[in-house]
Amino acid sequence: MPEPVQRRLAAILAADVAGYSALMGVDEESTLARLTAHRGELVDPTIARHRGRIVKTTGDGMLVEFGSVVDAVRAAVELQRGMLARNAEVPEATKIRFRIGITVGDIIIQDGDIFGDGVNIAARLEGIAEPDGICISDDAWRQVRGKLDVPFEDMGEQRLKNIAAPVKVHRALLDARPDDGRRAVRPAPEAGGDRPSIAVLPLANMSDDHEQQYFSDGITEDIITELSRFRQLQVLARNYSFRYRGS
């Protein structure tokens, strides 16, 4: 008889390197060497210190399982703050910047790998996170609120690619001070200064199928990500731009 399916509740963290293909296109050997150094000196030790298990890695990303959501988010915050410090003196064009998504859910374990909606949602949350950013699901946020030294901003319900129902999302404000436990909302960047500000308004879904909205959103997010690579521009984050959907 086939072995029974193994399931357990877990916190799932998905991470990847923003703009990895472009970095590799500029200098493959240097990019790989710097990514390997970041993993060996910061990423892997941080995950181990917070009792995480690296399930698998890809060229530019990884999938990690934690027994505790608090441990998962603490590891993510420590990792991103560590990367900000390591990148402080690095030219913008060569910075390795991670995006992280975290959720909590029931997973299936098979041959050391993990599967399930939670894995898919974590990957999609990572996809909408900004470089150096962390996005977590509402289920994860309710487990960590008041327990960490970083405030979160409510991004509302988001349509995630290939996820049937909208997911309420929160993002970590790593450069803000913790408040009295309320969710922080950071004001939009002010226009002016040395760099021109630009907002990419959500592209409209012109089809009659509302389920195809994620295609329009995905193109908008790709444009935001690519424009953010230009130091001459101050690009408003996705959550600011998407407030103007339909207006």
Side-chain angles (χ1 to χ4, degrees), residues 13-25 27 30-39 43 57-63 79-80 83 87 92-101 123 126-127 129-133 225-226 229:
L13 181 154
D16 82 341
V17 176
Y20 181 71
S21 297
L23 290 168
M24 289 290 285
D27 190 333
S30 176
T31 298
L32 286 173
R34 287 183 288 113
L35 181 57
T36 300
H38 289 318
R39 282 205 54 187
V43 179
T57 61
T58 59
D60 67 329
M62 64 174 55
L63 181 66
L79 191 159
Q80 293 292 46
M83 286 302 300
N87 278 329
E92 189 69 28
T94 59
K95 286 181 179 179
I96 290 180
R97 307 169 71 188
F98 291 103
R99 303 181 300 180
I100 296 177
E126 166 257 294
E130 299 173 7
D132 303 322
T225 299
E226 292 305 311
R229 298 182 58 233

Side-chain angles (χ1 to χ4, degrees), residues 81-247:
R81 286 177 171 167
M83 286 302 300
L84 287 170
R86 293 169 72 93
N87 278 329
E89 304 299 326
V90 177
E92 189 69 28
T94 59
K95 286 181 179 179
I96 290 180
R97 307 169 71 188
F98 291 103
R99 303 181 300 180
I100 296 177
I102 299 173
T103 192
V104 59
D106 193 69
I107 59 172
I108 298 172
I109 304 96
Q110 183 176 347
D111 298 328
D113 204 347
I114 60 176
F115 305 90
D117 283 345
V119 176
N120 297 331
I121 290 172
R124 298 310 178 193
L125 290 172
E126 166 257 294
I128 68 171
E130 299 173 7
D132 303 322
I134 303 167
C135 284
I136 70 175
S137 67
D138 192 57
D139 288 338
W141 178 80
R142 284 188 275 109
Q143 298 295 319
V144 303
R145 59 183 174 183
K147 299 176 183 176
L148 301 173
D149 67 342
V150 59
F152 285 82
E153 179 183 48
D154 186 345
M155 296 175 64
E157 290 191 338
Q158 303 288 325
R159 301 291 304 191
L160 304 179
K161 184 178 178 180
N162 295 335
I163 304 299
V167 176
K168 190 172 184 180
V169 180
H170 306 259
R171 72 184 189 100
L173 302 180
L174 298 176
D175 57 353
R177 290 182 175 273
D179 58 10
D180 59 0
R182 295 171 294 178
R183 286 169 288 180
V185 177
R186 184 168 59 184
E190 295 182 0
D194 295 333
R195 296 181 298 166
S197 297
I198 185 169
V200 182
L201 299 182
L203 300 181
N205 173 22
M206 303 300 290
S207 76
D208 295 328
D209 185 358
H210 295 295
E211 294 300 318
Q212 301 302 312
Q213 181 63 48
Y214 66 83
F215 282 123
S216 302
D217 291 350
I219 295 171
T220 308
E221 292 163 7
D222 288 345
I223 294 172
I224 292 172
T225 299
E226 292 305 311
L227 287 175
S228 297
R229 298 182 58 233
F230 291 90
R231 300 180 63 185
Q232 301 91 336
L233 297 175
Q234 180 170 278
V235 183
L236 270 68
R238 175 192 190 281
N239 51 301
Y240 299 127
S241 298
F242 275 61
R243 292 174 184 173
Y244 296 95
R245 184 196 301 279
S247 64

